[in-house]
Amino acid sequence: MRMFSGSYGDGEDYRGFSTSITHAFVDASPSVRSTDACALACCGILQSDRDRYLLTGIQPPSWLRRIFVHILTPIGLFIAACYGAMHISNRYMNDLISTTLVFLIAVLLLMQLCFKGRWKRVMVRKELLWRKHQMVASLREGSTRAMYPPEEDDEHLEHAKLYLQGQSKCDLNCAHGMIGCYRTDIQKDSANQKHPSELCGWLFKHLCVTICCWDSLFGCHLQVCGICALAQEARELNHLLPVTQRRIDYVTMEPIMDYYADILRQRTVAAASEGNRDWWISWSTLSRLSKQLIQLWIIVVASLLISGILLHFSFLHVFIFVGTFGHAWFLLWLLHGYYYNSKEISWDITIKAFSCGFFIITILAVMWELGLGMAFNITMALLLKLFGVNAASDNGFNWVAGFAQSASTRDDYLGVFGQNHPFFYALIVAFESYVLAASIEELVKYLGYPMIMDHPDFWTRYELESAVGTSIRRLRKNRSYDDEESKNENECDDEKAEIKALKQLDTSQQDKSLSVRGAMISMSMVAIALGFTCCENLLYIFIYNEHSLRREFTTLVFRMLFPIHPLCAAFQSIGVVKRDIEKDSKFELGQILFPAVLLHGTFDWIVLYIGDFCDFPLVAFVLAFLFVLAALIFYYILSQDQRQRLQEREKQNSTTFL
C-alpha cells in the first residue's frame, strides 16, 4: 500500500504526488536521475511521449509528421507570405494575402504548440492521478473493479475532486503551460522538506526553473515548458509501474528485450571467436530507434549537401563539410572498435549516445548559453555605462545606438573597453570561458549520460535475467489471451520459437568486470561529447566564420587537432566511474565536473584572450598544444590508476566470494 499512497520518500503528499514539482534532481538514484534529465530534452517532448504511452498505450506521432506540421508548414506559409509581399502588385491584395498567411502561422503555432500540446499533457497528468487514486481505492476496498476517471461535468463531482487531490483546473494548465505559475505544493511548516543532494539539483532549483522569490512572495513556482511537471510525473511513474514495464526506448516505445536478445546472440558468437573485434555495424542487432537515427543522419547529411550545391558551394566547402562529419565518425568508429572492447559495448548504445550529443545536448547548450550570455553582455554594458566608462572605436561607434542594435555591437563595446583596460577584460574573458562556456557545456554533456544510462548494456546479469523472464511471461500471456483457433499454425510456431530462443540466451555475457563497466561509461560519455563536438564544429565553421574558406579550413584543422570536448568527457567519466562503480558516495557532481571545467575554461581563455584579443595566434597555438598534451598525459595516468583499483577490487570480490 505504501507505494501507491504517495508516502514514499519523505512521507509527504504533494497534492496527489509523492514528490514536489520542485524536486527535480533532488534524488540522486539512477532511475530518478535519468527521468529528470530526459525531462529537459527537447522541451520535455520525449518524456511526455513516453509517459503518455506508459499510461494510455498511445503511440506518439512520427517525427516526419511533426517536422511537417511544426516546421515545414510554418516555413512554407512564411515563404508564401514573403513571395506574395514582393510580387503582388495590388496593394490591397498584397496586404490581405500576406497578413492572412502570417496570421495562419501564428494560429497554427498557437494551436499546435500551446493548446493541443498542453491539452495532451494535462490529460496525462489527470490520468496519472486517476490511476494512483484507483490503485489506492482498490487496495482499501479489496476490489479490482475497473474504474474510469469522471468528466468535469460528471454528477459525482466530489469524487472527481478527490482524485485530483486539490489541484484546480488552473493548476493543471499552469503546470504544462509555456510559461506558468504553479501553486506551491510544499507546506511552509513541513519538517521533511527535501534538499538537493548534489550540485545539479541546486542549480536546477535556484537558477533554471524555480525562482525562490516567486515562492516566498507569490506562493507559486515559475514553470517553463512544463519541464518540472514532466519530471514530477515521471518520478511518480517510477513508483507506480514495475521496472520491467518501463524498460522501453524513447521515441519508438520499443520494448528493450525485443532487440537486445539479438545483441546478446551476436555477442555470444563474437566471444567464441577470440581476437576478432566488432568493427562494423550489424543492422539486424540495432533497435528501431538506432535504425531511425541512422536514417535521420543520412537525410540530414544529404539535405545539407544538396543545400550547399544549390547555394553554389565550392568543392573545398563540400570537402570541409564532409571532413567535419568524417572526423567525428572516424574517431567514434576507432574508439568503439579498437580502444574499447567492442564485444562488450554494442553499436546500439554508441549510435544513441552520439545522436544524443549532436541533437539534444547541443540544443540545450545553445539555449542556455544564448540566454545567460545575452544577460551577461547586457549587464556588463549597463554597468560600464552606469559607472561612466566611455569607449569609442576608430569608426566612431556610439554605445547607445549600438546597444539598441544587436548583441554583437555590445560585444564590440566590451572589446573597445578591453583595449583600454586589458586586465579587467581578461577577467571578463575568464568569466565567459569558465562560466558561460565551460560550466554550461560540461554540465549539459554530463546530463547526456543519465539520458542513456538505462540501456541494457549497463544492466547486471540479474537485471537481464529478470527482463528475459518478463518477456517470456508477456509472450505466454499474449498466447493465453488470443484465441488459438483464430491464429494460424505459423504464428503459434513463431511464438514458441521466440520463447525457446529467450530461454537459450547466454546471460553470462552480462557478467562484466568492473574495469569493463568503467570502460562502457567512458565510451558512452566520449560518444556524447563527439556528437556535441560534431555539431559545434559545424556551427563554428559554417556560421561563425562568415563563409571565409580560409577561416573555415583553419577552424576545422584547429578543432581536429584539439578534441577538447571528448577529452573533458573522459575526465568526467573518471569521476562518474569513481562514484558509480567504486561506490565513493562522497564524490559528487561538483567534483566530477571541476577537472573538465578547469581544462575547458583554461583552453578557451588561451584561445580567446591570447589568440584573438592579444593577437598572438602562434603563442596561443603553442600554449594550447602544450596544455592539451599535458592534460592527455594526466588523463592517462588517472585512468591507469583507476583501472588498477578496479582490478584489485575485482580480485578482492572474487576472493571474498570463494
Side-chain angles (χ1 to χ4, degrees):
M1 170 116 184
R2 179 187 175 97
M3 66 180 296
F4 303 123
S5 63
S7 57
Y8 63 86
D10 57 10
E12 296 284 340
D13 181 80
Y14 302 91
R15 295 213 302 274
F17 291 91
S18 304
T19 59
S20 171
I21 201 170
T22 64
H23 284 172
F25 297 103
V26 170
D27 191 342
S29 61
S31 60
V32 175
R33 189 188 297 131
S34 176
T35 52
D36 286 347
C38 289
L40 291 172
C42 303
C43 297
I45 294 176
L46 300 182
Q47 190 65 55
S48 176
D49 289 343
R50 180 176 180 270
D51 293 349
R52 186 170 181 234
Y53 176 80
L54 289 175
L55 283 171
T56 64
I58 299 176
Q59 283 279 358
S62 65
W63 283 101
L64 290 177
R65 178 183 175 185
R66 280 178 163 165
I67 291 174
F68 177 79
V69 173
H70 301 302
I71 299 178
L72 296 182
T73 300
I75 290 177
L77 292 174
F78 180 76
I79 293 175
C82 294
Y83 181 85
M86 292 185 295
H87 292 83
I88 298 178
S89 57
N90 187 295
R91 182 174 180 180
Y92 174 76
M93 293 300 299
N94 189 316
D95 293 341
L96 178 62
I97 294 176
S98 300
T99 304
T100 302
L101 291 175
V102 172
F103 178 76
L104 285 176
I105 296 174
V107 171
L108 178 65
L109 294 176
L110 188 66
M111 292 295 295
Q112 292 292 333
L113 299 180
C114 296
F115 293 107
K116 186 176 180 181
R118 183 179 64 182
W119 176 79
K120 288 182 178 179
R121 295 188 181 188
V122 168
M123 294 304 296
V124 170
R125 192 172 180 86
K126 294 173 68 174
E127 176 67 26
L128 177 59
L129 289 170
W130 175 253
R131 183 75 62 89
K132 186 174 179 179
H133 172 73
Q134 181 184 15
M135 290 178 177
V136 173
S138 298
L139 289 173
R140 288 174 178 172
E141 300 173 6
S143 171
T144 58
R145 60 187 179 87
M147 295 185 292
Y148 302 94
E151 301 293 337
E152 293 183 2
D153 56 350
D154 196 292
E155 59 181 0
H156 304 291
L157 191 58
E158 292 299 325
H159 190 49
K161 291 181 179 180
L162 179 63
Y163 92 88
L164 287 177
Q165 296 292 324
Q167 295 197 39
S168 64
K169 184 177 180 180
C170 179
D171 292 334
L172 295 172
N173 290 329
C174 288
H176 285 294
M178 294 290 290
I179 299 291
C181 294
Y182 183 82
R183 187 162 49 95
T184 182
D185 53 8
I186 300 178
Q187 299 179 5
K188 294 183 178 181
D189 56 349
S190 176
N192 297 318
Q193 293 189 23
K194 290 185 176 181
H195 299 283
S197 59
E198 58 178 18
L199 175 63
C200 190
W202 186 90
L203 290 173
F204 193 84
K205 182 177 179 61
H206 294 280
L207 299 180
C208 298
V209 176
T210 304
I211 300 178
C212 298
C213 64
W214 281 69
D215 182 19
S216 58
L217 295 179
F218 304 105
C220 60
H221 303 292
L222 183 63
Q223 304 298 314
V224 179
C225 297
I227 292 175
C228 290
L230 290 171
Q232 182 189 36
E233 293 158 11
R235 293 193 298 271
E236 199 69 28
L237 282 175
N238 288 344
H239 292 267
L240 292 181
L241 301 179
V243 64
T244 52
Q245 187 175 344
R246 293 184 277 112
R247 282 173 173 165
I248 58 175
D249 271 348
Y250 283 84
V251 182
T252 60
M253 308 304 162
E254 179 184 17
I256 288 179
M257 285 307 301
D258 285 4
Y259 64 85
Y260 197 64
D262 294 329
I263 295 177
L264 286 177
R265 296 187 189 99
Q266 185 196 42
R267 190 169 290 165
T268 303
V269 174
S273 56
E274 293 293 337
N276 293 332
R277 290 183 177 271
D278 183 18
W279 290 92
W280 308 107
I281 301 175
S282 177
W283 186 261
S284 61
T285 61
L286 296 180
S287 62
R288 289 206 306 263
L289 177 56
S290 292
K291 293 177 181 178
Q292 290 183 10
L293 288 172
I294 292 177
Q295 295 168 355
L296 178 62
W297 278 112
I298 296 174
I299 294 173
V300 168
V301 174
S303 301
L304 292 175
L305 283 175
I306 293 173
S307 301
I309 294 173
L310 295 178
L311 294 174
H312 305 289
F313 277 15
S314 64
F315 174 77
L316 288 178
H317 280 103
V318 176
F319 174 79
I320 293 172
F321 173 78
V322 174
T324 304
F325 277 103
H327 170 250
W329 289 342
F330 174 75
L331 287 179
L332 188 70
W333 173 76
L334 187 65
L335 289 172
H336 182 275
Y338 180 75
Y339 186 74
Y340 297 102
N341 190 347
S342 59
K343 295 180 182 179
E344 305 289 350
I345 307 172
S346 65
W347 272 109
D348 187 75
I349 181 65
T350 306
I351 293 171
K352 291 175 179 176
F354 183 85
S355 302
C356 175
F358 188 94
F359 294 108
I360 297 177
I361 302 305
T362 304
I363 293 175
L364 281 176
V366 169
M367 290 175 58
W368 291 4
E369 285 182 330
L370 284 178
L372 294 178
M374 184 175 296
F376 172 74
N377 287 334
I378 293 176
T379 302
M380 288 302 303
L382 286 174
L383 287 175
L384 294 176
K385 189 63 178 179
L386 181 64
F387 287 99
V389 179
N390 296 318
S393 60
D394 297 335
N395 59 359
F397 169 73
N398 180 270
W399 178 82
V400 177
F403 183 81
Q405 289 173 7
S406 65
S408 62
T409 53
R410 291 191 292 274
D411 294 338
D412 295 337
Y413 176 73
L414 294 177
V416 173
F417 165 77
Q419 294 176 1
N420 301 326
H421 306 84
F423 175 76
F424 290 102
Y425 190 72
L427 296 179
I428 293 175
V429 174
F431 181 83
E432 292 179 341
S433 301
Y434 287 97
V435 178
L436 296 182
S439 297
I440 292 176
E441 292 178 5
E442 297 308 318
L443 177 60
V444 296
K445 282 192 302 181
Y446 166 82
L447 290 176
Y449 169 67
M451 293 180 188
I452 64 169
M453 66 184 297
D454 199 30
H455 192 273
D457 274 353
F458 296 103
W459 291 356
T460 63
R461 183 175 182 177
Y462 172 79
E463 291 174 323
L464 176 60
E465 291 176 347
S466 176
V468 171
T470 301
S471 299
I472 293 175
R473 288 192 296 270
R474 177 168 57 87
L475 289 172
R476 288 174 174 171
K477 186 177 181 181
N478 291 339
R479 289 183 58 192
S480 64
Y481 278 147
D482 293 333
D483 185 7
E484 293 291 342
E485 296 181 357
S486 65
K487 300 175 66 175
N488 57 47
E489 186 176 350
N490 292 332
E491 290 177 340
C492 294
D493 292 340
D494 291 342
E495 288 184 353
K496 292 179 181 178
E498 189 173 355
I499 293 175
K500 183 179 180 180
L502 287 173
K503 290 182 177 180
Q504 293 176 347
L505 285 177
D506 183 13
T507 58
S508 63
Q509 295 294 326
Q510 212 70 9
D511 284 331
K512 301 171 183 177
S513 64
L514 297 180
S515 58
V516 169
R517 293 189 178 276
M520 290 168 52
I521 293 176
S522 299
M523 177 63 203
S524 61
M525 298 188 74
V526 170
I528 292 171
L530 282 173
F532 177 78
T533 301
C534 182
C535 189
E536 188 185 53
N537 288 350
L538 290 174
L539 295 176
Y540 272 99
I541 293 171
F542 292 101
I543 295 180
Y544 297 154
N545 287 316
E546 300 178 354
H547 305 293
S548 172
L549 186 60
R550 180 181 176 184
R551 288 182 61 86
E552 288 177 1
F553 184 77
T554 304
T555 304
L556 174 62
V557 173
F558 183 82
R559 299 183 73 83
M560 288 175 62
L561 292 175
F562 300 104
I564 195 68
H565 286 297
L567 183 57
C568 291
F571 272 101
Q572 285 190 33
S573 68
I574 290 179
V576 173
V577 171
K578 189 170 184 179
R579 181 193 65 189
D580 296 345
I581 305 299
E582 298 186 55
K583 303 300 181 181
D584 188 350
S585 59
K586 297 180 180 180
F587 210 80
E588 297 182 351
L589 181 60
Q591 296 165 290
I592 294 173
L593 294 182
F594 179 75
V597 171
L598 182 63
L599 170 61
H600 190 170
T602 304
F603 178 84
D604 283 357
W605 187 86
I606 291 174
V607 173
L608 293 176
Y609 189 74
I610 299 178
D612 290 347
F613 180 74
C614 297
D615 199 17
F616 294 132
L618 182 59
V619 175
F621 181 86
V622 173
L623 289 176
F625 176 78
L626 294 176
F627 183 71
V628 172
L629 180 62
L632 280 170
I633 296 173
F634 185 55
Y635 167 73
Y636 178 78
I637 295 173
L638 290 179
S639 62
Q640 291 300 314
D641 289 343
Q642 187 172 71
R643 181 175 299 180
Q644 185 176 359
R645 291 197 307 270
L646 292 174
Q647 291 174 352
E648 291 176 356
R649 183 170 180 176
E650 190 78 24
K651 292 179 181 179
Q652 292 176 359
N653 293 340
S654 300
T655 304
T656 304
F657 178 76
L658 293 174

